[in-house]
Amino acid sequence: MFSSSIQNGLETAKLVWSRLPAEEVESEESSSTRKSNGGGAAESLDYEVVENYAYREEQAQRGALYVAYTVAVKWFFALLIGVGTGLAAVFINLAVENFAGWKFAATFSLIQHSYFVGFLVYTLINLALVLSSVFIVTQFAPAAAGSGIPEIKGYLNGIDTHGILLFRTLIGKIFGSIGSVGGGLALGKEGPLVHTGACIASLFGQGGSTKYHLSLRWLQVFKSDRDRRDLVTCGCAAGVAAAFRAPVGGVLFALEEVTSWWRSQLMWRVFFTSAVVAVVVRIAMRWCSSGKCGHFGSGGFIIWDISGGQDDYSFEELFPMAIIGIIGGLLGALFNQLTFLITYWRRKYLHKRGSKVKIIEACLISLLTSAISFGLPLLRKCSPCPEMEANSDMKCPRPPGMYGNYVNFYCHKEKEYNDLATIFFNTQDDAIRNLFSAKTFHEYTAKSLLTFLAMFYTLAVVTFGTAVPAGQFVPGIMIGSTYGRLVGMFVVKHYKKLNVEEGTYALLGAASFLGGSMRMTVSLCVIMVEITNNLQLLPLIMLVLLISKAVGDAFNHGLYEEQARLRGIPLLESRPKYHMRNMTAKEACRNQKVVYFPRVVKVEDLVSILRSNKHNGFPVIDHSRNGEALVLGLILRSYLLVLLQSKKDFQHGALPCDLGGRSIPIRHNFSEFVKPVSSKGLSIEDIHLSPDDLEMYIDLAPFLNPSPYIVPEDTSLSKAYSLFRQLGLRHIFVVPRPSRVTGMITRKDLLLKENEDPATLELQATSVRV
């Protein structure tokens, strides 16, 4: 091979490859995990702009009008993402509430005559909905399984998992969520809504779906990974805003939880997108409030107004509230660990056996959930209805499945209710509303709450990881509000002189469990305030969140980080590890042998190297007149594959072209080198070359990145880590200590305005110490 003939001294120019399992040597476990998930190996994204000759020529042809057009299109896309995500959320909630309403209405009418027939119909309806969900996922959109947040977080962190942003994944996520949530499983639709918003944003970013002939050329404006990342960020915020009607919480969720890179211009577009979602959702809610949407009405979206509850708190209550935070941290950390172990076992032993096993597993869990939610309330003795205030809008009893408290289920007297059925035999949204409700003292017994907590916690752990779209926001709120209400009952009993509402403690419990499991603080705090309409509880929510997160961090990572690790998504955390301070960039290279190309390379040698390794970037080397080796830049594997497939730049001789003379014809559009969103792209096996083609040459200089990021070999690994993550890089060159300095850039050198003379600026900035 020709590379062996190049000087060995070039090996000092080492390359820090992004240490990704898919780009180097992939473990057997990670490979099987990704295959079972329906996607290919993960690939690193490059958020750096490749400023090669083709890019500069294209930018030179664009004027101020094109820049204004690009900015306008970005804002227009933000509007479309908000409208699309809002409509998707309305459709999902509309379908879920109507399916659940029809299910409970049919069941309640049947149990008036036979509880067995009612149980049979209830179970079959749940089974049919769950079966439809798991069938859609396994047969049509494998990447739609789970919440999707770990994959989207990986995408914004720089990791692209195959299939997560495709059109079929969007369809599978929407209809799969309807089936899984409407089927009564212990999961929610909020995580899938975040994934749905990201898919909608990605589809707008690439101009639609070419596979299904739904693409529009005038929308195909953004071709870089950086622009698509910004759109996906808007989609994530829109998903949270649509799920909770919390636009500010959506912005903070995108900032705190999923993004690794942020700027002020992006924040404005994200905020605008969330505001559009809020407007769309509220218009839909107002239109449906007149009864035009069937069972979907005031209780459809997750918003629990407790502004009429406890409006003050005393110093004595801080201790039990701190206890709630500790419990949330412990139960949240335990939930993360149990879901990790069960999902690991499920992926390693169970899901390897094919789609039939996934379908059978989901159906069995559906049967178990239906049996528990219907059967346990039958074992609970009913309680007499309390006396209601004259102006109260509550009624006792109410039929199951309808909004309100005090559900009559298997009660022998008319004025009785079943407290366990109020939270078990009900939709999760209405059950949470019941747990958060004020002025409902002694509605639940401690025995019923403990029973529900143990059973629902177990169901949530077992259900998480099945082949259906699944979110953990609502199950987490259900679990936390249950033990929070238990603590509230204790406070009411022992602090009789205080104005205490059990629903307030249920809210704090919900916040503590989410903080202990997902480890969110700022965004979760704002979301909880927005969905409860009670700003006075903000300090208490902050308190329990800080305590629960601190307790949970002592045991393991957050839920999304654990699931990302299980799926083989190598996330770069916000801060480097402590031991990286004592390591250099040269040590991180591990004496690896750098694979590189000369500037003019023979096609045969190029194909041979691409077939022999899986690297995604290669240094390009040239020699000066005195024989000194020079690093010209970096060329990506995807660029080389495009050049090989097009054959437009093949030449007979090994002479380089003259870049300085501007005589190079532009044979490629810069968009040709862009990899399709969340797809495998070109492969070397897809390219067919004749023997004559293999004897040709390619000059790589017009297509390489002439200004890759470079660090000296003795740079600390922690500094290289921060540079890599904050700039969204894919490769960093590690080179020996440079021998001379060309110049030095200071602050005043970066303050140049358009068409301004640098000498004039230097005279004006003499007072700035640089």
Side-chain angles (χ1 to χ4, degrees):
M1 188 175 295
F2 79 95
S3 59
S4 61
S5 63
I6 299 180
Q7 299 177 3
N8 293 329
L10 293 176
E11 292 182 7
T12 56
K14 297 182 175 64
L15 182 66
V16 177
W17 304 101
S18 51
R19 291 182 285 179
L20 302 176
E23 295 187 0
E24 300 296 339
V25 180
E26 194 173 33
S27 64
E28 180 181 356
E29 176 191 328
S30 299
S31 177
S32 62
T33 299
R34 294 186 184 114
K35 290 179 181 178
S36 65
N37 196 29
E43 182 180 352
S44 182
L45 294 167
D46 194 358
Y47 292 138
E48 178 188 6
V49 177
V50 180
E51 298 178 343
N52 55 21
Y53 179 82
Y55 173 80
R56 292 176 180 177
E57 286 294 315
E58 185 173 298
Q59 291 297 314
Q61 299 173 4
R62 297 175 176 176
L65 183 62
Y66 182 84
V67 175
Y69 170 74
T70 303
V71 173
V73 170
K74 287 182 178 180
W75 284 95
F76 179 64
F77 276 11
L79 174 65
L80 293 180
I81 293 169
V83 174
T85 306
L87 293 178
V90 170
F91 175 74
I92 291 174
N93 282 274
L94 186 69
V96 168
E97 288 297 315
N98 276 289
F99 278 128
W102 296 332
K103 174 181 64 179
F104 284 117
T107 304
F108 183 70
S109 62
L110 289 174
I111 62 177
Q112 305 301 320
H113 309 284
S114 172
Y115 274 86
F116 177 76
V117 176
F119 167 72
L120 191 62
V121 171
Y122 174 77
T123 303
L124 290 177
I125 294 177
N126 283 339
L127 182 63
L129 291 172
V130 174
L131 180 61
S132 66
S133 176
V134 69
F135 184 82
I136 291 173
V137 170
T138 56
Q139 304 301 320
F140 179 69
S147 70
I149 293 181
E151 289 82 0
I152 299 302
K153 187 173 183 177
Y155 181 86
L156 297 177
N157 193 260
I159 303 298
D160 183 15
T161 305
H162 173 60
I164 62 170
L165 296 175
L166 299 180
F167 177 73
R168 65 182 182 189
T169 303
L170 171 63
I171 299 301
K173 208 74 177 183
I174 292 175
F175 289 95
S177 299
I178 294 173
S180 60
V181 178
L185 294 180
L187 43 83
K189 53 185 176 295
E190 290 66 35
L193 267 176
V194 176
H195 194 178
T196 298
C199 289
I200 292 174
S202 178
L203 289 173
F204 280 126
Q206 61 182 334
S209 175
T210 56
K211 181 178 180 180
Y212 297 98
H213 306 288
L214 297 174
S215 60
L216 296 174
R217 176 162 304 204
W218 66 275
L219 288 176
Q220 298 174 1
V221 179
F222 305 111
K223 300 296 183 181
S224 67
D225 289 336
R226 177 179 294 186
D227 291 331
R228 290 170 174 173
R229 172 192 61 183
D230 293 349
L231 293 176
V232 171
T233 303
C234 292
C236 291
V240 175
F244 297 106
R245 280 193 279 173
V248 180
V251 175
L252 294 176
F253 175 83
L255 172 62
E256 177 185 9
E257 188 62 23
V258 294
T259 57
S260 302
W261 193 82
W262 196 262
R263 66 181 189 275
S264 58
Q265 297 92 335
L266 177 61
M267 183 182 69
W268 282 111
R269 290 201 300 273
V270 170
F271 185 78
F272 173 71
T273 305
S274 300
V276 171
V277 171
V279 172
V280 172
V281 169
R282 290 189 179 276
I283 291 175
M285 292 292 294
R286 181 175 299 178
W287 187 75
C288 289
S289 61
S290 59
K292 299 177 182 179
C293 302
H295 292 274
F296 176 69
S298 60
F301 272 48
I302 306 174
I303 183 167
W304 307 284
D305 191 350
I306 62 170
S307 56
Q310 183 174 342
D311 56 0
D312 196 9
Y313 50 90
S314 61
F315 180 79
E316 291 86 349
E317 293 182 77
L318 295 181
F319 178 73
M321 291 175 181
I323 296 297
I324 290 179
I326 296 175
I327 296 174
L330 294 175
L331 291 182
L334 178 62
F335 183 86
N336 294 354
Q337 192 64 30
L338 291 177
T339 52
F340 179 87
L341 295 176
I342 293 178
T343 306
Y344 174 80
W345 173 85
R346 177 183 281 130
R347 288 173 172 266
K348 188 173 182 179
Y349 299 105
L350 197 61
H351 288 179
K352 281 184 175 181
R353 301 182 180 181
S355 299
K356 292 183 178 180
V357 175
K358 297 179 182 179
I359 295 175
I360 294 173
E361 177 199 22
C363 292
L364 290 177
I365 293 177
S366 174
L367 294 175
L368 177 63
T369 304
S370 299
I372 291 176
S373 59
F374 192 98
L376 282 182
L378 294 176
L379 305 177
R380 179 63 186 162
K381 184 180 179 181
C382 293
S383 304
C385 291
E387 295 183 2
M388 298 294 176
E389 297 180 2
N391 57 351
S392 176
D393 58 348
M394 295 184 183
K395 295 181 180 179
C396 183
R398 288 186 184 241
M402 302 300 291
Y403 169 66
N405 305 69
Y406 307 110
V407 173
N408 183 287
F409 184 81
Y410 201 62
C411 298
H412 301 291
K413 297 182 180 179
E414 183 178 354
K415 288 296 182 179
E416 289 184 339
Y417 73 99
N418 191 318
D419 61 341
L420 195 55
T422 302
I423 49 178
F424 237 139
F425 196 68
N426 212 333
T427 62
Q428 293 182 8
D429 296 357
D430 290 342
I432 294 172
R433 189 174 289 106
N434 296 338
L435 290 170
F436 282 179
S437 61
K439 313 301 181 184
T440 54
F441 296 104
H442 311 299
E443 179 182 0
Y444 305 98
T445 63
K447 184 177 180 180
S448 296
L449 291 178
L450 286 173
T451 302
F452 176 79
L453 176 63
M455 299 309 301
F456 192 83
Y457 190 95
T458 304
L459 288 175
V461 170
V462 174
T463 307
F464 190 85
T466 53
V468 295
Q472 285 304 311
F473 275 100
V474 168
I477 294 175
M478 288 280 289
I479 294 171
S481 59
T482 304
Y483 67 74
R485 185 115 185 171
L486 277 169
V487 176
M489 292 171 60
F490 173 82
V491 174
V492 170
K493 183 177 180 181
H494 291 82
Y495 296 87
K496 298 181 179 180
K497 296 182 180 181
L498 299 177
N499 181 24
V500 178
E501 286 285 353
E502 297 175 2
T504 300
Y505 285 82
L507 169 65
L508 298 178
S512 70
F513 185 83
L514 292 178
S517 176
M518 300 178 183
R519 313 293 160 80
M520 297 187 300
T521 53
V522 179
S523 59
L524 182 58
C525 183
V526 174
I527 289 173
M528 297 304 292
V529 171
E530 286 187 282
I531 64 179
T532 56
N533 193 25
N534 195 329
L535 188 61
Q536 294 177 336
L537 297 180
L538 178 61
L540 303 181
I541 297 175
M542 295 172 63
L543 173 66
V544 297
L545 282 176
L546 291 173
I547 295 176
S548 62
K549 185 181 185 303
V551 173
D553 285 338
F555 294 94
N556 50 32
H557 294 285
L559 177 65
Y560 300 137
E561 288 77 10
E562 292 286 352
Q563 293 300 315
R565 180 165 65 95
L566 181 64
R567 289 166 168 78
I569 302 174
L571 295 177
L572 292 179
E573 299 179 0
S574 58
R575 293 185 300 176
K577 300 294 184 182
Y578 182 80
H579 67 274
M580 290 184 178
R581 301 179 181 179
N582 302 320
M583 295 180 62
T584 63
K586 182 179 180 180
E587 294 173 349
C589 295
R590 300 191 183 124
N591 297 321
Q592 59 180 328
K593 186 177 180 180
V594 180
V595 182
Y596 46 83
F597 293 114
R599 173 177 172 173
V600 182
V601 59
K602 192 175 183 180
V603 174
E604 182 180 6
D605 296 330
L606 180 61
V607 173
S608 176
I609 288 184
L610 292 179
R611 290 184 184 275
S612 62
N613 65 79
K614 300 296 183 182
H615 295 322
N616 284 281
F618 302 89
V620 178
I621 306 298
D622 199 7
H623 295 85
S624 61
R625 294 181 179 179
N626 58 4
E628 182 183 0
L630 300 175
V631 180
L632 297 182
L634 172 73
I635 190 163
L636 298 177
R637 183 186 191 93
S638 58
Y639 282 40
L640 295 173
L641 294 175
V642 172
L643 295 176
L644 290 175
Q645 186 186 48
S646 67
K647 305 179 185 179
K648 296 178 182 179
D649 298 276
F650 287 5
Q651 61 187 43
H652 293 282
L655 294 177
C657 56
D658 184 15
L659 293 179
R662 301 287 178 180
S663 60
I664 304 176
I666 304 299
R667 303 186 182 95
H668 296 277
N669 191 317
F670 187 72
S671 61
E672 296 179 26
F673 298 100
V674 179
K675 184 180 75 70
V677 174
S678 195
S679 65
K680 297 178 181 179
L682 276 177
S683 173
I684 188 63
E685 286 76 16
D686 301 330
I687 300 174
H688 304 284
L689 300 172
S690 66
D692 293 337
D693 293 332
L694 296 176
E695 296 299 322
M696 304 290 281
Y697 292 85
I698 301 179
D699 187 357
L700 302 179
F703 311 102
L704 57 83
N705 183 3
S707 55
Y709 286 90
I710 297 176
V711 296
E713 60 184 3
D714 57 350
T715 302
S716 67
L717 187 57
S718 62
K719 184 178 291 186
Y721 181 100
S722 300
L723 179 69
F724 195 96
R725 185 184 187 276
Q726 292 176 9
L727 296 180
L729 303 181
R730 187 170 185 174
H731 308 95
I732 295 181
F733 280 154
V734 180
V735 299
R737 176 65 62 179
S739 59
R740 63 190 181 92
V741 179
T742 303
M744 181 180 295
I745 295 178
T746 61
R747 180 182 296 271
K748 66 181 180 61
D749 301 312
L750 302 176
L751 298 177
L752 278 174
K753 297 181 181 179
E754 190 175 1
N755 300 324
E756 186 174 5
D757 186 6
T760 304
L761 180 65
E762 185 175 359
L763 292 176
Q764 297 173 353
T766 53
S767 61
V768 180
R769 301 184 62 182
V770 296

